[in-house]
Amino acid sequence: MPFPINRPRRLRRTETIRRMIRETRLSADDLILPMFVCPGRGVKNVIKSMPGVAQMSVDNVVAEARETWAAGVPAVILFGIPERKDAQGSEAWNDNGEVQRAIREIKERVPGLAVITDVCMCEYTDHGHCGALSGNDVDNDATLELLTRSALSHARAGADIVAPSDMMDGRVGAIRGALDGNGFSHVAIMAYSAKFASAFYGPFREAAESAPKFGDRRSYQMDPPNGDEAMREVAMDLDEGADIVMVKPAIPYLDLIYRVKQEFNVPVAAYNVSGEYSMIRAAGINGWLDEERATMEVLTSIKRAGADLILTYFAKDVARKLHG
């Protein structure tokens, strides 16, 4: 024959045909919107390094949650910026703290929306590290007690899922035991299981006001070259009672999202983090690329790699586009 009989381009010829054979389908149901809760009322502090994202007081968080639910996004994850910070991060388990108030308000006013809470100390400590210090090092076991207090406070407020992001050893088991022992066995855990010490977190640290005052987080967050270690971390968290496991960041670790899904076949989340968001937004604002197409391509790649859930600051806009 003068030419191969198979011509893959036949099935790329029109948008309708491309839709018919599309292998990976991104859905609004896959998306989770991160939000930053700060003190005050009527507050919306724009985050300079994350155009389109802001710290918001509880009233504005509830309004944003309502819009998010209306757009078709099923869940939000809340990060808190407290009015005061101390060495222990004690505002993290204040039952009248900003996150706790936001949980109660959202569950009352947008009851269908799932509320996830970040459980970590870095936003609440005056030193900016993710736990209690012993000298200049984070004390792993002392931090577990602080994390369980925070998780229990979120559960009392009505959180559906708590998400420990600190990377302390044993924190999933400690939180699971505390939840179960206090009547919250129904509250799920989404563990930041493979969280890497990444350069892509820079804008988040402005948003959450959580930059460490000294040193860095490499002694507890994972070393980027280590894939096998990530699998061990996931296995440990599942053994300790995690319901969902997460890979963070997403784009540089697509291979690990794939491995986690293939090896464990459990619900997998991936965090399309602040730096990934800001790169696309900045390039779009400057006209260097088509922001909408780039966003859809990136999120689809995360889904194709195996993520069931994608935490992304693009969630609301993407859901609106998907719903047409």
Side-chain angles (χ1 to χ4, degrees), residues 183-212:
F184 298 109
S185 60
H186 60 283
V187 175
I189 296 176
M190 180 172 71
Y192 288 62
S193 297
K195 180 179 179 180
F196 289 84
S198 173
F200 288 93
Y201 302 152
F204 177 92
R205 290 175 182 176
E206 178 193 347
E209 300 179 9
S210 62

Side-chain angles (χ1 to χ4, degrees), residues 24 42 46 49 63 75 82-83 101 106 134 143 157 165 208 288 293 302:
T24 302
V46 174
S49 59
E83 196 156 15
R101 289 175 51 232
I106 292 171
S134 177
T143 299
S165 63
W288 296 335
R293 286 187 61 193
I302 298 168

Side-chain angles (χ1 to χ4, degrees), residues 22-34:
R22 195 157 285 156
E23 298 172 18
T24 302
R25 298 183 184 275
L26 186 67
S27 165
D29 291 339
D30 305 326
L31 307 177
I32 298 168
L33 179 68

Side-chain angles (χ1 to χ4, degrees), residues 258-279:
Y258 178 82
R259 284 184 63 183
V260 170
K261 191 61 180 178
Q262 293 299 307
E263 292 189 26
F264 298 100
N265 194 28
V266 297
V268 177
Y271 202 141
N272 178 222
V273 300
S274 60
E276 298 169 350
Y277 169 86
S278 294
M279 287 192 303

Side-chain angles (χ1 to χ4, degrees), residues 4 16 31 42 49-50 59 135 176 186 198 203 213 220 251 309:
T16 299
L31 307 177
S49 59
M50 298 179 70
D59 55 319
R176 184 74 273 159
H186 60 283
S198 173
K213 296 295 188 293
Y220 42 102
I251 299 173
L309 302 169

Side-chain angles (χ1 to χ4, degrees), residues 25-242:
R25 298 183 184 275
L26 186 67
S27 165
D29 291 339
D30 305 326
L31 307 177
I32 298 168
L33 179 68
M35 294 198 291
F36 300 96
V37 193
C38 68
R41 182 167 182 80
V43 178
K44 188 173 284 190
N45 298 325
V46 174
I47 300 161
K48 291 181 181 179
S49 59
M50 298 179 70
V53 181
Q55 298 174 343
M56 294 179 289
S57 52
V58 170
D59 55 319
N60 281 325
V61 163
V62 172
E64 181 78 358
R66 187 178 287 112
E67 289 183 11
T68 300
W69 176 248
V73 177
V76 296
I77 182 168
L78 303 179
F79 298 86
I81 297 97
E83 196 156 15
R84 66 177 186 87
K85 302 188 179 193
D86 58 34
Q88 295 292 300
S90 59
E91 282 297 300
W93 58 86
N94 177 356
D95 285 343
N96 291 312
E98 309 309 323
V99 165
Q100 289 84 347
R101 289 175 51 232
I103 297 166
R104 290 193 291 269
E105 289 287 323
I106 292 171
K107 296 309 293 184
E108 179 180 348
R109 300 177 188 277
V110 198
L113 186 70
V115 177
I116 307 167
T117 58
D118 179 76
V119 177
C120 192
M121 310 312 298
C122 62
E123 301 108 301
Y124 298 93
T125 55
D126 54 13
H127 47 75
H129 279 283
C130 296
L133 295 182
S134 177
N136 285 333
D137 192 26
V138 174
D139 185 325
N140 188 99
D141 295 1
T143 299
L144 300 185
E145 172 62 24
L146 310 184
L147 296 169
T148 58
R149 291 182 189 178
S150 179
L152 283 172
S153 180
H154 295 172
R156 284 193 295 270
D160 298 290
I161 302 172
V162 295
S165 63
D166 55 286
M167 289 302 288
M168 297 298 117
D169 295 336
R171 90 273 202 214
V172 172
I175 291 171
R176 184 74 273 159
L179 291 172
D180 291 356
N182 286 274
F184 298 109
S185 60
H186 60 283
V187 175
I189 296 176
M190 180 172 71
Y192 288 62
S193 297
K195 180 179 179 180
F196 289 84
S198 173
F200 288 93
Y201 302 152
F204 177 92
R205 290 175 182 176
E206 178 193 347
E209 300 179 9
S210 62
K213 296 295 188 293
F214 64 88
D216 54 41
R217 296 175 178 147
R218 297 183 194 185
S219 69
Y220 42 102
Q221 294 178 357
M222 287 190 60
D223 194 19
N226 293 359
D228 291 343
E229 182 186 2
M231 298 303 106
R232 294 195 293 273
E233 287 278 9
V234 169
M236 290 168 62
D237 283 355
L238 290 170
D239 286 345
E240 291 178 22

